[in-house]
Amino acid sequence: MKKTVFRVLLVGCLLSAVLMAVLPAPSTHAQSGTMFQDTFDDPASGWETANSADWQTGYRQGAYYGDLGGESSWGYIQFKSSDPAWNLADFTLEVDVIPVANVGFAGVVFRCIDQDSFYTFHVRPGTGEYRILRADQPYVENWGRLADWTYSPAVQIGGANRLGIRVEYSNLEFYINGQYVTTIQDSTYFNGWIGLFVGRTSDEYRAGQWASYTWDNVVISDPSVVPSSAAGGVAPGGVAQGGFAPDGAAQGGVAQGGVAQGETAAPGADILFQDDFTNPNSGWAWQSEQNPNWNRIYQNDQLRIEIGGEWTWGYVQLNPGDPAWNLGDYTLEVDVIPAGNAGFAGVVFRRADPYVFYTFHIRPSTGHYRLMQAEYADIETWTPLVDWTWSPAITSGQTPTRLTIVVAGSSISLYANGEFLTTVQGFGLYSGWIGLFVGRSADEIRSGIWSQFQFDNVVLRSSTTAPAVPVNPAPVINPEQPPAAPANQGNVPVVTCTADSADNDNINVRSGPGTGYPQVGTLYARRPVPVVGVYDDWLVVDLGVQQGYVARWVVTLTGDCLNLPAIAPAPGVVPAPAEPAGAEPGGVEPAGIEPGGIEPDGMAMPQVMFWVEGGLPLGGKENERQISIGNCVDIWWIAENVPEATYQGQYVSGSGVVTECPTQSTVYTLDVLYPDGTREAYTIFVKVHSMN
């Protein structure tokens, strides 16, 4: 992917320390002088225009439009970029951002000092989220996330949104439709031009979807002005907050499973469906009833699902293909009963297609629950909205646990046996079908262990109120807390230090300080975790369920990280690996090297590292540096036990170093071919600044 930008501005760079903080909502100031207004009726008002295969912009029907596609993942248009009078420092900026279709995201650029150095504040109307980034290089995935995607009820889903920013020195305040959302302190850029920004996601890029937006009613004012909810008294339009209306969802449809026996609540108008599984034709479907990897059986007035063979996960769906069951907001309850001591099980909801849905499931053998958003067949790529979390509400043994989900708009609330667990904000899925889900871990796949669960007493309600009491009386509560983290020895003080992925990739968490130790978990990108200790060049992170080690050079640290206690690996302790390894339904488990192991042909574990020395860290990231013209950096690599590696297109092997003295900003690449046939490109970005 590439970005698109017009009118390159080359100005001096301000190198300064960065401080980020969320502050209380600011006080209201009286309205003051307006510096500039634009309703885009005049096509000569000062905004640049573009017309290329990837990026078309211009004035149209009293607004300004931008269409982004082709090979571009983001772009922006500046206002009077050649006029130094509009190189602004402190100001208030307001603009209406209107989606043509719910693809991508759009907003504003401000304090833009060159083509890759600026701030951007934008919204994603399709999901009701906003984001604030600090650009310091061409690749958007590596920009500084001052505020990553955050849901806000202030965002009009599917409609126009009026964005507002107030900037004074390092204080950056942000508003949506007149509502204050956050304040950021950042002292990287103190002045620059403004612009109109549009972008799209990697999935949208791969699918060839264009992001199309219009902007209107721009106002630039003195920074004493507080952004308003509308320009000229016109309220932003769009779909009412709470999500898109379910496509064809017939709330109150005909129940197809009979009245559930043992249901304590009296039937009412809010009950859409009940099933006690006495009727084997109640509507739960799978493309095949039985095969070597999967069994679905109505048995003893329950639905039994078994998964094994080469499969990692699977689910049955209620009335697939019937648009009446493409539901939006509701409450879903079901009893989940383990038939063995392996695997995990629960529900699928808001299923949009076979690999796009939410799933809430439990692992009764350990008392943990998890909420995931699926986007692909491989379960390892799913987003953990709530990663494995222990709760005493989950029953142990063969005793049922009654799971409840309450979904309303983007809000998802989880319950076990009537006890509230958590509420999170989902994104991107506002309607879909429901299903019953079963999965198993990578260890269980390798050991040939089947995951077997039974389901009973399904109740689907149109109301979105919390469950009053569990259906099953007197549940047996799991008496044991989760096991103590094996890597943590002795008393470790509380440390306010967190780690996040430096390259926006998921990172392996291991049982010891080295790549030879087994993987025990994953540090997911953009989900910081506490750092509780250090050992040589490895950090001890707390994943909640357990602790493990991550390499210091692949994470970004935030907080008080200077006085971390030393924590050596526990001798002889090998925690269970993170699960699952993720074979798609009907497929096979991905081949390759087990963490810390040896390939079947005896080849040693690949060792790959790529790093830079010299210059100044750019945005706090170790793989990005900034230098002045005439200076140099040393770029190092290790590429051992791999069939092939190239640096800047030249074959390399073993380890080495090269001194680079670029005269312009440059991306350096180490491309590695792994023994399993996969390739991965590692990059280092060096930004060059003029001394003028």
Side-chain angles (χ1 to χ4, degrees):
M1 291 184 289
K2 70 178 183 181
K3 49 83 182 170
T4 298
V5 62
F6 287 81
R7 185 81 62 179
V8 177
L9 303 177
L10 298 177
V11 299
C13 177
L14 299 172
L15 303 180
S16 54
V18 177
L19 173 64
M20 208 173 74
V22 177
L23 303 180
S27 59
T28 302
H29 299 276
Q31 294 288 316
S32 184
T34 297
M35 301 161 57
F36 174 79
Q37 287 182 312
D38 198 352
T39 58
F40 297 103
D41 295 318
D42 177 10
S45 62
W47 301 89
E48 298 158 345
T49 59
N51 186 13
S52 71
D54 304 333
W55 180 231
Q56 292 100 47
T57 71
Y59 294 77
R60 184 170 58 197
Q61 298 178 350
Y64 193 91
Y65 75 91
D67 299 332
L68 182 84
E71 295 299 316
S72 292
S73 60
W74 63 271
Y76 65 86
I77 289 295
Q78 286 182 234
F79 176 67
K80 296 191 175 182
S81 61
S82 60
D83 187 346
W86 292 99
N87 182 352
L88 304 176
D90 300 340
F91 55 89
T92 293
L93 170 64
E94 302 171 74
V95 62
D96 294 339
V97 180
I98 307 123
V100 177
N102 281 298
V103 175
F105 41 90
V108 296
V109 161
F110 61 102
R111 287 185 173 174
C112 176
I113 62 171
D114 67 36
Q115 63 176 349
D116 299 322
S117 302
F118 52 84
Y119 298 109
T120 173
F121 172 40
H122 45 259
V123 293
R124 186 191 285 164
T127 63
E129 298 172 294
Y130 70 87
R131 184 170 65 170
I132 305 162
L133 302 179
R134 181 189 59 241
D136 47 25
Q137 59 131 302
Y139 298 103
V140 66
E141 59 269 20
N142 293 329
W143 291 356
R145 282 167 168 73
L146 305 184
D148 210 346
W149 286 120
T150 303
Y151 170 81
S152 172
V155 179
Q156 293 279 354
I157 295 179
N161 289 276
R162 186 157 186 80
L163 303 190
I165 59 172
R166 296 174 66 196
V167 293
E168 290 184 277
Y169 191 61
S170 61
N171 192 69
L172 315 177
E173 297 173 2
F174 300 91
Y175 298 77
I176 301 174
N177 294 319
Q179 297 184 38
Y180 166 81
V181 290
T182 192
T183 296
I184 300 294
Q185 294 285 329
D186 192 280
S187 54
T188 304
Y189 309 129
F190 289 95
N191 61 280
W193 283 259
I194 66 168
L196 306 176
F197 178 91
V198 64
R200 55 188 181 147
T201 68
S202 298
D203 283 348
E204 292 161 345
Y205 173 89
R206 286 190 289 267
Q209 295 177 291
W210 281 64
S212 299
Y213 285 80
T214 60
W215 296 264
D216 206 351
N217 301 315
V218 172
V219 179
I220 305 174
S221 310
D222 181 273
S224 64
V225 174
V226 177
S228 63
S229 61
V234 180
V239 178
Q241 296 179 25
F244 297 110
D247 188 11
Q251 305 254 332
V254 179
Q256 302 187 20
V259 177
Q261 299 176 3
E263 171 61 62
T264 59
D270 71 326
I271 294 181
L272 304 176
F273 176 83
Q274 291 179 302
D275 198 353
D276 61 358
F277 297 104
T278 57
N279 176 13
N281 297 312
S282 58
W284 301 93
W286 182 255
Q287 56 258 42
S288 61
E289 299 302 298
Q290 293 184 332
N291 65 37
N293 306 301
W294 174 266
N295 293 326
R296 188 212 69 163
I297 308 166
Y298 281 80
Q299 182 182 79
N300 300 326
D301 295 337
Q302 295 176 333
L303 181 63
R304 182 184 179 99
I305 299 176
E306 303 173 344
I307 190 168
E310 296 178 337
W311 286 15
T312 301
W313 60 272
Y315 63 86
V316 297
Q317 185 180 336
L318 178 64
N319 297 320
D322 185 346
W325 295 97
N326 180 358
L327 305 175
D329 297 346
Y330 51 82
T331 297
L332 173 63
E333 303 174 58
V334 61
D335 292 341
V336 178
I337 310 149
N341 198 38
F344 42 92
V347 296
V348 161
F349 59 102
R350 289 186 171 171
R351 174 206 175 274
D353 70 31
Y355 301 131
V356 179
F357 52 82
Y358 297 118
T359 172
F360 169 40
H361 46 259
I362 58 172
R363 187 192 286 153
S365 62
T366 63
H368 290 81
Y369 69 90
R370 183 171 65 172
L371 175 65
M372 304 281 280
Q373 178 168 354
E375 297 170 320
Y376 304 97
D378 186 350
I379 197 171
E380 285 192 326
T381 67
W382 296 359
T383 301
L385 303 182
V386 179
D387 213 344
W388 286 118
T389 302
W390 184 85
S391 171
I394 299 171
T395 54
S396 60
Q398 264 69 79
T399 305
T401 296
R402 188 158 187 80
L403 301 187
T404 303
I405 59 168
V406 179
V407 289
S410 61
S411 175
I412 304 171
S413 297
L414 309 179
Y415 300 79
N417 289 319
E419 295 190 26
F420 172 74
L421 300 175
T422 189
T423 295
V424 301
Q425 298 295 329
F427 51 92
L429 299 177
Y430 293 94
S431 66
W433 283 259
I434 65 170
L436 304 175
F437 177 92
V438 174
R440 57 188 184 144
S441 70
D443 272 356
E444 290 161 345
I445 293 173
R446 286 189 284 265
S447 301
I449 300 173
W450 280 63
S451 177
Q452 302 170 324
F453 283 83
Q454 296 172 172
F455 301 84
D456 205 355
N457 299 318
V458 173
V459 179
L460 182 65
R461 306 176 189 275
S462 61
S463 62
T464 54
T465 57
V469 293
V471 169
N472 302 296
V476 178
I477 302 300
N478 191 332
E480 297 184 2
Q481 294 286 340
N488 192 349
Q489 302 171 349
N491 296 321
V492 177
V494 177
V495 180
T496 57
C497 175
T498 61
D500 196 0
S501 168
D503 293 328
N504 204 29
D505 294 325
N506 296 341
I507 296 172
N508 293 333
V509 179
R510 301 185 178 276
S511 63
T515 56
Y517 286 85
Q519 182 181 347
V520 299
T522 302
L523 194 165
Y524 293 96
R526 302 187 303 279
R527 296 181 181 274
V529 298
V531 180
V532 297
V534 63
Y535 189 84
D536 292 337
D537 288 331
W538 291 73
L539 303 168
V540 182
V541 296
D542 188 350
L543 300 180
V545 178
Q546 61 191 13
Q547 294 177 354
Y549 292 79
V550 297
R552 185 197 296 265
W553 58 88
V554 295
V555 298
T556 298
L557 297 178
T558 302
D560 181 10
C561 304
L562 297 178
N563 298 306
L564 296 168
I567 301 178
V573 176
V574 182
E579 48 134 301
E584 65 178 85
V588 297
E589 186 184 11
I593 305 170
E594 295 184 22
I598 301 294
E599 284 198 283
D601 62 4
M603 184 175 182
M605 188 77 173
Q607 301 288 329
V608 177
M609 294 177 61
F610 193 44
W611 73 99
V612 58
E613 295 180 358
L616 296 174
L618 183 62
K621 298 177 180 179
E622 288 301 318
N623 67 325
E624 300 171 17
R625 296 298 171 102
Q626 51 191 355
I627 62 174
S628 299
I629 289 180
N631 292 336
C632 304
V633 295
D634 290 334
I635 296 179
W636 297 74
W637 69 82
I638 296 176
E640 298 179 348
N641 306 319
V642 295
E644 178 184 298
T646 60
Y647 172 74
Q648 298 295 90
Q650 301 296 316
Y651 287 101
V652 296
S653 62
S655 60
V657 59
V658 62
T659 299
E660 301 282 6
C661 306
T663 58
Q664 61 183 4
S665 298
T666 305
V667 175
Y668 298 95
T669 303
L670 179 70
D671 187 81
V672 178
L673 173 65
Y674 281 91
D676 63 359
T678 62
R679 282 189 176 274
E680 186 164 357
Y682 302 86
T683 61
I684 289 171
F685 175 66
V686 179
K687 185 169 187 174
V688 179
H689 292 283
S690 171
M691 297 298 291
N692 297 329

